[in-house]
Amino acid sequence: MQTAAEPTRQQLAQRYLQVRAFSEQLCEPLAIEDYGLQTAVEASPPKWHIAHVSWFFENFLLRPLLPGYQVFHSRFDHLFNSYYEQTESGFWPRAKRGLLSRPTVAEVYDYRKHVDHGMQRLIQECDGEDWRLAQERILIGLNHEQQHQELLLTDIKHHLAFNPLRPAYRSDLDTSAPEQAVPLTFTAIEGGMTELGATGAGFAYDNEHPRHPTWLAPYRLADRLVTNGEYLEFIADGAYANPAIWLSDAWAVIRQQGWQAPLYWEQIDGSWHEMTLAGLIPLQPALPVCHLSYFEAEAYARWAGKRLPSEAEWEHAAAQRPIEGLFVDSGRLHPRAASVGELSQLYGDCWEWTGSAYLPYPGYRPAAGAIGEYNGKFMCNQMVLRGGSCATSRDHLRPSYRNFCYPHERWQFSGLRLADAID
Ligand code: AVJ
Ligand code: FE
């Protein structure tokens, strides 16, 4: 008998097709020339993403679990393994993903078809103990592909913004905003004993486990994200020229990189513009500030007399609320202005930097083998972001979801919400 939580083979096959189709849909606006670009070490070529997500299914499902499976190409495991050390193949250096004209885009789509074919067969034929494992891994593989769908958009934005023509990914996107943001208000939250982490209902990554108790002092969370208009005041106050405002590591990056504003902001004839997936647009003060590093989010919060929420504070507030907001499903691909009400924009729009280091929860154990490298080995020197963005799929998120980035990184759709103590 199937339990409610366990999809049937047919449901899984359908889900697989849906998720795979969305990756291809996201690539439709691309020109062939766009597919191979890598404009930063962390921004991979679209062609690589398309191949890597297929490799993930090939390596973790088809090779170990589908009898008679023939790999599409004997070297693709080397080219499209991202970072898994516990494999025979090793991997091509991340920084050089953009230097490979072959396989061609057409060949990468053929690879994709080959893997899809194998996966359909696996979903029909696999059984017994193998099927248990396969089901688990298919869910990881689908969630993995959804992560790369967000990265596809994030990286395409980076590649197009690098180009002085500032080309649009799609010129038909709605990036409109009201003249003024809703006033900044705060919601008081009681705190006390609470639990953090995945509840066990539905899929979660290993880094959301184990669920564990934690204590929270009473706190306040802003009812919306910090806006471009507010961040402009920070800039106008001379923030980027004032070392007193910044953490030491932040100031070093600011000096070295010459940062003067968030990523994708530029001044044209004295007026601020912002590069978006719809191309370059005048900066709109009511929209959330996006593409900030942790360094900028943390400094802004302190400058504003506030602080970043901890991930426990964020999750405690979010777990009691519906997962509603602006996701990739809307097709806007740019954050929108907040609406009036409590804790607007909690999900979607922009990932929210928290003040929490990305660390294992008490008792966390990564799985054995290469699959255990998925999240666990990154639990050092990164910070947690919560809530998803306008580039995240709605059904990829849950209250316990933990994203993570290095504190200087700002190419993802990352913004901030202020927090404060109750006095
Ligand atoms: C959670 C976005 C930091 O980009 O490495 C993709 C997502 N994990 N493939 C990353 C991920 C494995 C991950 N981030
Ligand atoms: Fe990956």
Side-chain angles (χ1 to χ4, degrees):
M1 211 185 76
Q2 290 284 330
T3 65
E6 200 173 290
T8 63
R9 285 178 197 264
Q10 217 174 0
Q11 284 168 331
L12 210 51
Q14 197 141 41
R15 179 88 189 113
Y16 177 89
L17 288 176
Q18 264 176 10
V19 171
R20 297 285 280 175
F22 189 54
S23 304
E24 294 176 22
Q25 192 187 315
L26 289 175
C27 290
E28 273 166 24
L30 298 180
I32 289 293
E33 290 83 351
D34 297 328
Y35 270 95
L37 268 185
Q38 179 175 28
T39 49
V41 173
E42 64 274 17
S44 297
K47 185 172 77 174
W48 184 88
H49 283 297
I50 290 294
H52 163 70
V53 290
S54 303
W55 167 84
F56 193 92
F57 286 109
E58 182 173 75
N59 186 69
F60 290 114
L61 283 138
L62 300 177
R63 262 130 98 44
L65 296 173
L66 184 64
Y69 176 73
Q70 298 285 317
V71 296
F72 181 78
H73 190 292
S74 64
R75 292 301 277 156
F76 279 15
D77 57 351
H78 179 71
L79 289 186
F80 301 122
N81 173 1
S82 49
Y83 55 62
Y84 299 87
E85 305 278 359
Q86 297 169 69
T87 52
E88 302 271 287
S89 57
F91 49 84
W92 180 255
R94 187 186 194 194
K96 296 183 176 176
R97 289 174 186 166
L99 301 178
L100 304 173
S101 62
R102 308 299 171 97
T104 64
V105 171
E107 284 163 345
V108 159
Y109 277 112
D110 286 346
Y111 177 41
R112 213 176 150 76
K113 278 209 202 86
H114 179 85
V115 166
D116 285 344
H117 194 79
M119 285 301 298
Q120 293 306 314
R121 201 152 73 72
L122 180 102
I123 292 170
Q124 298 318 319
E125 296 171 11
C126 186
D127 59 14
E129 262 312 292
D130 280 0
W131 180 235
R132 290 243 132 260
L133 182 62
Q135 280 176 289
E136 243 173 66
R137 294 215 172 160
I138 291 168
L139 290 183
I140 299 176
L142 293 175
N143 278 274
H144 177 250
E145 184 137 352
Q146 288 186 310
Q147 287 183 308
H148 279 275
Q149 288 164 355
E150 171 148 7
L151 290 167
L152 257 173
L153 288 168
T154 309
D155 295 356
I156 288 167
K157 185 168 179 177
H158 196 275
H159 304 327
L160 295 175
F162 177 83
N163 189 315
L165 298 178
R166 305 286 186 265
Y169 163 70
R170 275 180 38 191
S171 50
D172 59 339
L173 300 177
D174 171 21
T175 54
S176 63
E179 293 268 297
Q180 283 206 326
V182 300
L184 181 61
T185 56
F186 285 78
T187 292
I189 300 168
E190 229 176 90
M193 276 315 282
T194 183
E195 287 195 345
L196 196 61
T199 57
F203 177 82
Y205 285 115
D206 61 349
N207 61 8
E208 298 161 57
H209 290 288
R211 189 167 170 84
H212 60 284
T214 189
W215 166 262
L216 292 176
Y219 61 107
R220 297 193 300 157
L221 285 183
D223 287 319
R224 60 159 171 77
L225 301 175
V226 171
T227 63
N228 286 333
E230 288 163 339
Y231 201 83
L232 274 170
E233 294 171 32
F234 177 60
I235 296 177
D237 194 36
Y240 284 88
N242 180 3
I245 288 184
W246 303 91
L247 294 172
S248 173
D249 287 359
W251 185 243
V253 171
I254 286 169
R255 293 221 310 191
Q256 194 205 12
Q257 302 290 318
W259 287 356
Q260 299 197 29
L263 184 62
Y264 303 135
W265 285 29
E266 61 185 289
Q267 267 183 313
I268 300 173
D269 297 332
S271 75
W272 283 107
H273 286 67
E274 181 182 14
M275 180 62 180
T276 71
L277 284 166
L280 195 65
I281 63 168
L283 188 75
Q284 302 181 81
L287 293 184
V289 61
C290 193
H291 299 291
L292 293 185
S293 62
Y294 171 80
F295 290 145
E296 290 160 303
E298 188 278 338
Y300 177 88
R302 242 174 334 101
W303 173 85
K306 302 286 189 290
R307 61 172 175 80
L308 296 176
S310 70
E311 64 170 326
E313 288 171 332
W314 191 95
E315 185 170 325
H316 179 66
Q320 303 158 25
R321 292 179 164 78
I323 305 179
E324 290 168 358
L326 184 94
F327 307 106
V328 74
D329 316 62
S330 76
R332 180 174 157 110
L333 308 183
H334 195 63
R336 74 177 166 193
S339 44
V340 183
E342 282 198 353
L343 302 183
S344 173
Q345 301 171 313
L346 205 47
Y347 293 98
D349 291 298
C350 295
W351 287 101
E352 300 177 22
W353 282 109
T354 72
S356 300
Y358 179 51
L359 291 173
Y361 287 162
Y364 169 76
R365 286 257 167 271
I371 195 91
E373 296 182 43
Y374 195 109
N375 286 311
K377 70 179 186 180
F378 300 108
M379 292 172 172
C380 178
N381 292 342
Q382 304 204 46
M383 303 300 289
V384 172
L385 303 101
R386 293 301 198 115
S389 79
C390 57
T392 315
S393 287
R394 154 71 184 77
D395 64 8
H396 183 62
L397 287 169
R398 52 200 162 268
S400 60
Y401 194 99
R402 308 173 83 193
N403 194 2
F404 48 92
C405 277
Y406 289 99
H408 67 277
E409 288 179 329
R410 54 184 198 166
W411 97 110
Q412 296 203 21
F413 287 84
S414 46
L416 80 150
R417 174 185 309 274
L418 297 173
D420 201 1
I422 293 181
D423 33 42

